[in-house]
Amino acid sequence: MNKPASDVRVALLRRLATAICLLLVTVAGAQAEQTFSFDSTPGKLPKTVVPLSYAIELTPDFTSLALPGIETVDIEVREATAQLTLNAVNTTFTEVTIDDGAQRAEVSTDAAAQTATLTFAKPLAVGRHRLRIAFTAQINKFGTGLFSVDYPTPSGIKRLISSKLEPADARRIFPCWDEPSFKASFALTVVIPRNLLAVGNMPIASEEPVAGDLKKVAFAPTPNMSSYLFVLTVGELERVTADAGGVTVGVVTTAGKSGQGRFALDSAVKLLGYYNDYFGVKYPLPKLDLIAVPGGFGGAMENWGGITFFESRLLFDPATNAETARRGIFAIIAHEMAHMWFGDLVTMAWWDNLWLNEGFASWMATKASEQFYPQWQSWLNGYGAKQFAMTLDARRTSHPVQQPIADHSEAVTAFDAITYNKGQALIRMLETYLGEQAFRDGIRKYMAAHAYSNSTTADLWQALESAGGKPITGIAASFTEQDGVPLVVAETTCDGAMQRLTLRQDRFVIAPANDPSLPAHSWQIPIAVGPAHGKPFDEILLKGSADIAAGTCGDAIKVNLGDVGYYRVEYGLKNRAALLNAFPQMQVIDRLNVVTDSWALVQAGRAEPPSYLALLDALDAGDHRAVWDQVISTFATLNRLSHDRSARPVIQAYARAKLRPVFDRIGWDGRSGDDDTALLRASLISTLGDLGDAAVVAEAKRRFAAFLDDPSSLPTTLRDAVTHVVGITADRATYDRLLALARNSTATNERLRYYFAAASARDVELARATLALTLTSELPDTIVSGMISTVASAGEQPQLAWDFVRANFDTLLARQGPNFRDQFVPNFMTNFTDEAHAAELAAFAPSQSTSGGRVMVARSIQAIAISADLAARVLPAADAWIRAHKP
């Protein structure tokens, strides 16, 4: 019997909820972390055979995108076996032999497991052997494995190839043991056209002409490293270099753009010296290249000796970049270079410890920014990273920082804000608890002990405890081995003239009202508490509850002074009132902490919306950018949730009324340069445009028109914001002009600016035109999914975009690769806030086809439910309060 559609939806959602609960039980039951042992390290490949070194020759065909190759792998057979299993994807095996042709292997492949099994007639004896494989792989059109990028130049479209292999895509280039614990040396040779430059992990050892117009380029062998750190980029490239203590540091760009790499080169040189000193182990390779790739993927990848970057994340052109762009460029370089130690020199044993790579690189990048550019106030202005992690970590679908990872598809899901941002916040909290010097001593011991090898979290805790003289394993484990966010409930009472503060723990949870309760957790939490505008009391390690003296009755007491701790705070009524009275005297970071926790308590249903809205009245229009950024973020959330709802006009009017005085204070024009005011100005223009501020929209259009006649009339600091406002309000003529600007530019950041502004158009016919454009060859494949998402979010056409994705799914999947199915579709669906779309996602079979896809679907269904619950609770209450208090 067929079930009604509503019953099917309910059944699907119940099954997913059950699956999530089972996943949580599995995680909660995981055993405590052990120190590194190769044999006990998780993974899919047998450990009976291990690679020692690879010699790989590749002959990429830039036209057909075929990738023929021959590799010789020296292996160690640890147990006699007639079968070798290694990784390979979309690879044709031509011939496989062992020990100079002593035996030939039969090859069978498993596409789902992404493995190839080599079977020999006679078992291989224990000891060393040499494996030779002739094969043909393929160069992809999407940014995974070895991929091609077609990019515009003044002389026409050019093509280069580059690689992106994390977490497990070296197997798409050559057959290999593609798990991080199988470290080996890689010696690469490539046969390419003579007019091209090839860049790899190591310097070029030799280069010689071969038949036709080709040349053979051989690179020096790498030290032992994991396969995902292999890199190859080939194209019409140029390189500028500098010496940094005997290491050649280079910036590699497409022809004509090397001058835009000067800031990146200078930054890399200073960072290399800083990191050499901090880690106590010098960078061990003879060269380090930063490679600007004009497509393929949108971020950066820490390949050892050859870091690849999406071009706009690395290059700085004062003609097209705002001065403030230097912050992002420096931060991403600092992050990726920190990986040369955390990730490359010392590598997590398996993807369950990915946070050892990403959390530390994120922390180190901010620490380096504070070191060289303290005026940027990177911890303060980067507060949003921790807030985002805490929002995700408060959900049922969160996961521990150290999480079980079953396979390569689940490894992809680990690259999230819990791994990066919670990891970063935890490291900062532990550094503060131990002290900077003791913490650094521990990091140096860890690096020295595990160089060129693998490690686990337990190895790190051992090194830090040994150096710091304080027990931290219990503290750290309570944050890394279980999911969730601590809530510290703080209440003051008076005993005569004296005041006491009671602290107790709870679990901070954001969930729909009808969700079952999550299991209770307990943490060991370093607490900084003291007067709202004074020094903290003695250090507190909160293991359950505490009761301490807290000054004179009525004093405002602030918990989490400095906002270094990873926890939320809920104050009793008396102390909250005292804090609001002391609000102007607090440090900026403490005001910001109170504002962010106040909104978080509303999200969790522990406070009513009026409590947060009333707090906004205590803010001064001249407060710090970081404070107003939090308010802007909240207004953006309310604006999104109220789409197509009756409360939207009231909420938009209120948001405009709160933000206009801030904008009017700083105005449209200010001194040029890199400062927080410029960043706040741009953010306010974009937000007020989104909120329908007629004066801001009109002025943005006027300035854009003037820019078309005289580009120098619009400062680079305003171009993104002004173009965005013009985009969302575009008519056909304006839309066509934006596309023309994108098509006529060869600067990646400019092209993105105009394409995404066009995709923001709220006119439905223009939205359809943008969606159609994503099926053509005009757009870089890198931005196709982003363009579709922009139509749904900024363009406010989610249903139109979803219908388009479903109708063209096979075509888009072929162009975008498996991440489109496993990552993009679930994330895209969080544009919706209703059960029907959650059920559609649950029933969307392609995204349920891998374990990683199922994880992402579960997370997105929970996010949709939370948005629906928040809209139902918060919008009516906010609407009523605004009408009563701000007519």
Side-chain angles (χ1 to χ4, degrees):
M1 182 179 73
N2 291 327
K3 291 185 178 181
S6 59
D7 291 344
V8 172
R9 287 198 297 268
V10 170
L12 284 166
L13 294 173
R14 282 176 177 166
R15 285 202 297 273
L16 268 158
T18 300
I20 294 167
C21 290
L22 288 173
L23 177 63
L24 291 169
V25 169
T26 301
V27 169
Q31 294 184 348
E33 176 74 15
Q34 302 297 313
T35 55
F36 172 66
S37 161
F38 176 76
D39 288 318
S40 62
T41 294
K44 305 299 285 186
L45 295 176
K47 294 184 172 65
T48 51
V49 177
V50 296
L52 303 174
S53 64
Y54 297 80
I56 305 163
E57 182 172 307
L58 301 173
T59 307
D61 188 319
F62 277 65
T63 303
S64 71
L65 300 182
L67 184 63
I70 298 173
E71 66 177 348
T72 302
V73 190
D74 288 333
I75 60 174
E76 180 80 26
V77 176
R78 305 173 78 207
E79 297 177 15
T81 180
Q83 288 190 330
L84 278 65
T85 301
L86 70 172
N87 296 112
V89 174
N90 295 332
T91 300
T92 301
F93 289 79
T94 307
E95 184 182 55
V96 179
T97 61
I98 195 80
D99 295 335
D100 298 322
Q103 293 193 70
R104 277 183 163 76
E106 296 293 326
V107 181
S108 60
T109 59
D110 184 332
Q114 299 188 348
T115 58
T117 298
L118 317 180
T119 303
F120 297 92
K122 297 178 182 179
L124 304 180
V126 171
R128 293 196 176 193
H129 298 267
R130 178 160 290 176
L131 179 68
R132 183 183 184 277
I133 303 175
F135 62 92
T136 300
Q138 65 184 44
I139 301 169
N140 295 311
K141 294 289 287 182
F142 51 86
T144 302
L146 194 65
F147 58 87
S148 66
V149 176
D150 296 336
Y151 61 97
T153 73
S155 58
I157 299 296
K158 302 286 187 178
R159 172 172 287 180
L160 61 71
I161 59 172
S162 190
S163 59
K164 195 274 184 182
L165 308 184
E166 192 177 32
D169 289 304
R171 62 191 71 179
R172 294 178 182 271
I173 301 180
F174 52 89
C176 58
W177 283 259
D178 200 13
E179 295 180 358
S181 63
F182 287 92
K183 286 198 168 188
S185 174
F186 296 81
L188 172 64
T189 300
V190 290
V191 179
I192 58 173
R194 293 183 191 178
N195 66 315
L196 304 184
L197 174 67
V199 183
N201 299 90
M202 296 291 284
I204 293 173
S206 67
E207 186 171 315
E208 60 182 10
V210 292
D213 63 350
L214 301 178
K215 63 182 177 181
K216 180 179 286 190
V217 181
F219 295 91
T222 70
N224 279 0
M225 69 181 195
S226 300
S227 53
Y228 76 90
L229 298 172
F230 175 95
V231 66
L232 173 63
T233 303
V234 182
E236 295 184 25
L237 308 173
E238 56 190 33
R239 182 173 182 243
V240 292
T241 64
D243 179 78
V247 174
T248 300
V249 178
V251 171
V252 180
T253 71
T254 55
K257 292 187 176 180
S258 59
Q260 298 172 28
R262 178 53 58 183
F263 176 70
L265 184 63
D266 293 343
S267 297
V269 168
K270 67 172 69 171
L271 282 165
L272 196 64
Y274 176 62
Y275 287 166
N276 280 337
D277 176 64
Y278 187 89
F279 292 119
V281 176
K282 292 203 171 191
Y283 175 76
L285 275 60
K287 67 96 174 174
L288 173 60
D289 282 315
L290 314 182
I291 307 166
V293 182
F297 67 105
M301 176 59 212
E302 66 266 20
N303 318 296
W304 212 7
I307 306 170
T308 47
F309 298 79
F310 186 49
E311 184 183 270
S312 64
R313 305 295 298 275
L314 182 67
L315 304 186
F316 180 85
D317 180 0
T320 62
N321 284 109
E323 201 53 35
T324 50
R326 295 182 191 270
R327 299 188 185 197
I329 293 170
F330 185 87
I332 198 168
I333 294 171
H335 179 107
E336 301 306 325
M337 284 184 61
H339 277 308
M340 302 298 101
W341 288 263
F342 266 104
D344 297 5
L345 181 64
V346 180
T347 311
M348 82 269 133
W350 179 243
W351 300 106
D352 53 354
N353 273 299
L354 176 64
W355 86 281
L356 285 174
N357 287 17
E358 301 301 347
F360 267 88
S362 299
W363 164 77
M364 199 69 204
T366 307
K367 191 175 184 68
S369 294
E370 291 279 2
Q371 170 72 20
F372 291 106
Y373 299 99
Q375 69 272 23
W376 290 350
Q377 297 180 287
S378 296
W379 284 119
L380 173 63
N381 285 317
Y383 83 98
K386 184 172 78 169
Q387 298 305 316
F388 183 46
M390 294 174 88
T391 298
L392 298 182
D393 203 16
R395 296 176 181 176
R396 177 176 300 281
T397 48
S398 184
H399 61 82
V401 169
Q402 297 168 247
Q403 60 173 323
I405 297 292
D407 58 25
H408 57 273
S409 73
E410 285 190 15
V412 175
T413 71
F415 290 82
D416 65 2
I418 305 296
T419 296
Y420 283 72
N421 305 354
K422 181 179 181 178
Q424 176 192 40
L426 171 59
I427 294 158
R428 186 185 184 207
M429 186 171 71
L430 292 175
E431 181 196 31
T432 303
Y433 179 71
L434 279 182
E436 283 192 76
Q437 184 62 49
F439 190 84
R440 185 175 71 169
D441 291 344
I443 295 298
R444 288 176 168 180
K445 292 187 68 170
Y446 171 79
M447 285 290 162
H450 300 284
Y452 303 104
S453 185
N454 299 86
S455 69
T456 69
T457 300
D459 295 314
L460 177 63
W461 300 155
Q462 283 188 1
L464 291 175
E465 281 198 348
S466 173
K470 278 185 177 182
I472 67 160
T473 298
I475 300 170
S478 72
F479 283 90
T480 61
E481 294 178 11
Q482 61 184 2
D483 62 339
V485 180
L487 176 69
V488 176
V489 180
E491 297 183 289
T492 54
T493 56
C494 290
D495 183 6
M498 304 308 293
Q499 182 169 253
R500 299 205 59 87
L501 175 69
T502 300
L503 302 174
R504 63 178 176 84
Q505 286 190 36
D506 200 346
R507 182 172 181 178
F508 180 77
V509 176
I510 298 176
N514 59 353
D515 259 25
S517 298
L518 288 174
H521 285 336
S522 63
W523 291 265
Q524 296 184 32
I525 313 172
I527 300 284
V529 58
H533 42 83
K535 294 181 178 180
F537 303 140
D538 291 341
E539 182 180 88
I540 297 173
L541 184 61
L542 187 66
K543 296 183 178 181
S545 61
D547 183 86
I548 62 170
T552 304
C553 186
D555 285 352
I557 302 300
K558 172 73 173 53
V559 181
N560 201 7
L561 278 167
D563 193 22
V564 173
Y566 186 84
Y567 54 90
R568 297 289 187 195
V569 183
E570 181 179 80
Y571 295 99
L573 292 177
K574 289 182 180 178
N575 197 44
R576 180 176 172 82
L579 282 172
L580 294 185
N581 287 333
F583 207 64
Q585 288 76 47
M586 288 186 198
Q587 295 293 319
V588 172
I589 189 62
D590 289 312
R591 288 200 302 275
L592 176 60
N593 179 228
V594 171
V595 172
T596 54
D597 279 355
S598 295
W599 173 243
L601 291 169
V602 172
Q603 290 177 296
R606 299 184 71 103
E608 294 302 317
S611 68
Y612 175 79
L613 298 174
L615 174 62
L616 300 188
D617 287 341
L619 298 183
D620 187 88
D623 212 331
H624 195 278
R625 166 199 158 206
V627 176
W628 282 110
D629 268 350
Q630 195 286 328
V631 178
I632 288 169
S633 174
T634 301
F635 285 157
T637 297
L638 293 174
N639 190 44
R640 179 180 70 85
L641 292 176
S642 63
H643 179 57
D644 286 338
R645 296 175 188 256
S646 61
R648 193 177 222 199
V650 171
I651 286 172
Q652 286 189 335
Y654 173 71
R656 292 195 301 266
K658 296 302 294 185
L659 296 179
R660 269 312 293 260
V662 184
F663 181 62
D664 290 344
R665 178 181 172 274
I666 60 179
W668 278 90
D669 301 301
R671 67 179 183 86
S672 61
D674 176 6
D675 61 24
D676 283 335
T677 300
L679 289 165
L680 179 59
R681 177 182 293 112
S683 182
L684 286 165
I685 291 169
S686 293
T687 303
L688 287 166
D690 288 335
L691 294 169
D693 187 298
V696 168
V697 170
E699 181 63 10
K701 288 181 175 181
R702 187 193 70 78
R703 288 177 179 247
F704 184 73
F707 164 77
L708 295 177
D709 292 330
D710 176 13
S712 66
S713 68
L714 186 62
T716 54
T717 53
L718 294 183
R719 288 183 189 177
D720 284 343
V722 165
T723 308
H724 167 75
V725 175
V726 168
I728 62 175
T729 58
D731 56 15
R732 171 58 75 171
T734 302
Y735 178 84
D736 288 343
R737 190 60 191 264
L738 289 168
L739 290 183
L741 288 167
R743 290 162 179 159
N744 292 332
S745 177
T746 60
T748 299
N749 65 314
E750 275 198 330
R751 297 181 75 211
L752 297 185
R753 175 185 299 146
Y754 299 128
Y755 275 130
F756 280 109
S760 301
R762 291 178 177 171
D763 180 282
V764 67
E765 293 306 318
L766 300 181
R768 286 196 177 96
T770 297
L771 293 171
L773 193 63
T774 66
L775 298 177
T776 71
S777 60
E778 175 180 333
L779 295 181
D781 288 334
T782 320
I783 70 169
V784 165
S785 59
M787 293 282 282
I788 297 170
S789 291
T790 301
V791 169
S793 55
E796 298 191 334
Q797 301 288 345
Q799 188 61 51
L800 180 70
W802 175 227
D803 291 342
F804 173 83
V805 167
R806 286 184 300 178
N808 298 279
F809 180 77
D810 291 341
T811 301
L812 290 165
L813 177 62
R815 285 189 63 184
Q816 296 292 293
N819 282 349
F820 186 82
R821 173 196 65 211
D822 298 340
Q823 301 275 319
F824 171 79
V825 169
N827 284 329
F828 173 88
M829 294 301 285
T830 60
N831 283 289
F832 297 105
T833 61
D834 61 283
E835 183 184 302
H837 282 94
E840 279 190 54
L841 175 58
F844 190 70
S847 294
Q848 299 274 14
S849 62
T850 66
S851 57
R854 290 188 289 275
V855 169
M856 293 302 299
V857 167
R859 291 179 185 175
S860 294
I861 287 174
Q862 177 77 353
I864 293 169
I866 288 169
S867 291
D869 178 76
L870 191 62
R873 284 191 297 107
V874 171
L875 294 180
D879 186 7
W881 186 88
I882 293 167
R883 290 178 186 275
H885 292 80
K886 308 289 180 183

